Amino acid sequence: MNCRSGFLFLTFIFFLTGYYGMAGKPGSVSDSLFRARKTIRAERIREHPKIDGILDEPFWKTLPAATDFVEYSPRNGIVPPYPSVVRFAYDDQSLYISAVLYDPHPDSICKEMGRRDQVELLNTDYISFDILPYNDQMNMYEFKVTPLGLQNDCKYSAIGTDLTWDAVWTSAATITDSGWIAELEIPWSALRFPRVENQVWGINMWRNFQRKQNYSTWSFVDNTTNAIFKYYGDLVGISNIKPPVRLSFTPYLSGYVQKTPESKSWQSILRGGLDLRYGINESYTLDMMLIPDFGQVQSDDQILNLTPFEVRYNENRQFFTEATELFSKCEIFYTRRVGSTPKDFQAPYDSLKTNERVKKNPEETRIINATKISGRNSKGLGVGFFNAMTTNTWAELEDTVTGATRKIMTQPFTNYNVLVLDQNLKNHSYITLINTNYYSPDSRYSANVSGTEVKIYNAKNTFAVLGRLNVSQKYQYGSSPDLGHNYLFGIGKPSGHFQYEAYRYEADNRYDPNDMGFLTNNNEVINELKLMYQTVDPFWKILSTQSEFYLDYSTLYKPGNFTSLQLKADNMTNFTNFWANYLEVNYYPLGTHDYYEPRMWGWYYDKPMQYDFLWKIATDVRKKFRIHNTIGIMNAPDHKNFRYWIEMIPRIRLSNRFTISLTVHFEKNLNDYGWVDTQFDTLYQPLICFGRRDVTTINNILSAVYNFSTKASLNVRIRHYWSQADYLDFYTLNTDGKLTPGDYSMNPDINFNAFTADVQFTWNFAPGSELSVVWKNSITTQQGLLEDDYFNNFSNMISTPQSNSFSVRVLYYLDYLSLKKLFSKKKPEV
């Protein structure tokens, strides 16, 4: 069987799997009232309940109850295994919720302990309360509670999920003889809602019954669509409440003892700052960060990058991840640009004189302050404003003979701005305008990117249209403006068993959003067709299955030359034993014309036909021992380029408090061809040198988490990444994209190591307040001498100069209303 027929055979198998899943839903509930939009009423109370998960206040027994939950999965639309009862109450300060989750086997309730906002990663039951104060089918607050009282909160919008959003609220839970109970208090200050006399909010409750992998909802939700909010019910009865003054302060104090490879002694640093949050009105919130400190953020996972493109790292800084979903529109704002590596970071090394060394060269620009305004009003208008400033960044050079020093500026004062206007439309549709502006006055340089995006759904959510247009503008003093554009247009069917999507993406050769955004390459046109079939009802030994097929055709924008044709098929299947299996096949029948690997415009590297295969399988997540395995291969026969990789992630849960996991990744890329160097002859004609190389990569990560309680935990993460590029012979790239044998006199071999150790103890000693103690160690080495033995390499690496940091940080949440209540005094009786 050749590779073409093999690809078609696998595609046929994937879709055959979906075809046989088209059986109906045995036991489905046909009563339309069972699936109808529901309403639950909240009642005003006079007695403030004690949030202890006991429900001994008399009013809890008399309030209207939300019952008759409906199974969401695995069998959509039937009666779930056990009943659930939820009630709502409120007063002038808060919304109160109680939930009684019946389970005749309380000893078997899953209740793994973990950190806040990690509930869905744990082996635990939970109840989730989804609240849409504007009832707009788009913007939702989610509050989860587990049987141990662990909290999880996040926000949803048209863009997606903001998992980093944290509110200050109170919850408790208890396990009883008949199941478990959750009790919550959500202050009005934690929510944004319209200033009207009678509130009507969207509402739904989701119950996760973990040991059966069963999800049920109060209001029926069709599990073949992502537009779940249109199925939500209504929460009524809340009246005559006023949005409170939303003002809070979170001062922090942190102390560091640290040592870098450049310094001979340890240094101590004391820092202090303040985060401020103010509700401008019931819709919009101001967040300010004064003198920020990100020294305790988890270390980046550095890699050996042999590609012509920048590596994109995750954003781990809380201020830049929380309440930033508005700023994600049009994909032109990459928050890591703020406080990133200075633009002229390499300048000190290029400026070294005889006997000089770089004594100090900060890898990050220092942020002076950052401010953002975000929110959405009762008419569905979302507004986002972001501003940040970084101060002058200097490198210091030292003469090793005289001791004299001099400074070189690697980035001057810089101002970053983002402005977003986002309007909700009917049927969870939206239209957006966004602008980013990067301005450095000392260098007389500015970059401006403007974008608009619209997404329209029909009333039945069976058809969607997406359109986007971005324009980049770069201004350098003394030069004419540099303008570029980027657009995306797509149509699709986003719901049902069968779905499709077709789009065209274009970025011209001058489009550049990278001063504040992230784009690996421009001058690209992509046309894609995606077909998908899913079966969400169990049959045989399968719980659910989803098969997809992609066809991608790509060219340059200018001059329109072919770059690639990709065929892709994949299948994701979940089995009744709660194992999961994923298969993926990619095929490039015409090879690829790579215009970026040569690192010089106008040249391309003609990659031959290739195909790759990926298989992932994961065992039952509920078990104490679980393993996630990945196997992949890639083959380009004409170049004898063969790559394979294996990854194993065993995880053992020693108790409900203690979990250890290990990631072991091994990858071998044999006969890989890539750019080495570009030289010029006497006529200044380029000579582009390529090399044939074997690249070996090993990546090991050890993670351990011990939870002392739901508010205190110890996390350990140790990572060692080792990658070697062993160059075997060299070639010259020709104008037709082919390679001919050549010579290269230097040694381009690379032995790269990146080691990080992060140990963090966190204690949430009060609502919104935290004590954290962190030790961080990092080592990065790169040399041309290759190693054959892993342990010898590790021993040599660990003996090199290291960066060490030990820090203690305390932040305390202060709420204006609580302070006002604390310091107010009763009037003396007359």
Side-chain angles (χ1 to χ4, degrees), residues 66-132:
T67 58
D68 297 330
F69 276 54
V70 189
E71 188 167 306
Y72 175 78
S73 69
R75 299 188 182 275
N76 195 209
I78 68 172
V79 178
Y82 306 122
S84 307
V85 179
V86 179
R87 292 181 169 90
F88 295 86
Y90 73 97
D91 58 21
D92 289 335
Q93 285 75 44
S94 303
L95 174 69
Y96 305 96
I97 309 175
S98 71
V100 180
L101 298 315
Y102 290 97
D103 188 335
H105 307 287
D107 293 341
S108 300
I109 292 175
C110 298
K111 49 184 182 296
E112 183 182 359
M113 191 178 292
R115 299 183 67 182
R116 177 174 175 158
D117 293 339
Q118 294 183 342
V119 167
E120 293 191 3
L121 302 177
L122 304 174
N123 184 48
T124 182
D125 287 21
Y126 64 76
I127 179 74
S128 174
F129 306 94
D130 294 2
I131 301 173
L132 292 83

Side-chain angles (χ1 to χ4, degrees), residues 440-467:
S440 179
D442 288 352
S443 58
R444 298 186 179 184
Y445 173 78
S446 67
N448 198 74
V449 183
S450 300
T452 182
E453 183 175 288
V454 59
K455 195 163 192 178
I456 305 294
Y457 295 87
N458 66 351
K460 295 182 179 180
N461 195 48
T462 57
F463 186 75
V465 177
L466 171 64

